[in-house]
Amino acid sequence: MNSDSLERLVPDLVRQNENTGSETLKLHLERYQFACNHIVPGKLLDIACGVGYGSHLLIQQANEKITQIIAVDIANDAIEYARARYANAKINFICENATTFAPPEKFDTIISLETIEHIPAPEKFIAHLKTLLKDNGVLIGSVPITPSVDANPHHLTDFTEKSF
């Protein structure tokens, strides 16, 4: 697995003495830990899961609450890495586009961390995720709230706390 940017964070490749990568990984793990504390028991969707470390952390921290995780990412190499590195009977890693992913079942919890800023139509994406959520389910999301579209060609939308 090659990690050319912080857009595809691979914990095994982050060097301890590299501040940017280490701090970014720390923030991502904190966001997944926050998500662990707000999971609705049952089936969970980790949409845009990257290389799977977050799904793995969720199983480690909230195993008793989770019956299954469907972990989706658009990048086949990321999914292959996730399957090899973070294999678990409760996690199913799937290569699909987050904006069109349409499973037959709905989820108790959907987690989408650092994804929405990459989507051309964020409101449409959130509406799509709501169709995948059970009536009493919870959607947990995060985005950067500092200007980033000028510095990061992968970010299509800047959010403030209020706009998010």
Side-chain angles (χ1 to χ4, degrees), residues 1-11 13-15 18 20-22 24-25 28 50-51 53 77 118 151-155:
M1 163 67 27
N2 184 11
S3 180
D4 295 327
S5 75
L6 294 176
E7 292 308 303
R8 180 72 59 209
L9 191 58
V10 183
L13 300 180
V14 173
R15 288 173 286 206
E18 185 208 359
T20 303
S22 295
T24 301
L25 178 59
H28 282 234
V51 298
Y53 64 88
D77 62 336
H118 296 263
N152 189 328
H154 302 286
H155 292 186

Side-chain angles (χ1 to χ4, degrees), residues 42-78:
K43 196 166 191 173
L44 185 145
L45 173 62
D46 185 6
I47 197 83
C49 69
V51 298
Y53 64 88
S55 298
H56 179 72
L57 181 134
L58 292 167
I59 284 294
Q60 287 183 318
Q61 300 292 318
N63 187 44
E64 70 286 346
K65 291 182 179 179
I66 299 169
T67 57
Q68 181 184 24
I69 294 178
I70 303 297
V72 175
D73 199 89
I74 196 168
N76 191 53
D77 62 336

Side-chain angles (χ1 to χ4, degrees), residues 22-38 53-54 57-58 113 140 142:
S22 295
E23 287 302 311
T24 301
L25 178 59
K26 180 181 171 188
L27 286 171
H28 282 234
L29 292 173
E30 286 172 356
R31 289 176 180 124
Y32 272 105
Q33 187 61 53
F34 173 87
C36 281
N37 297 330
H38 295 86
Y53 64 88
L57 181 134
L58 292 167
L113 305 180
I140 302 166
S142 69

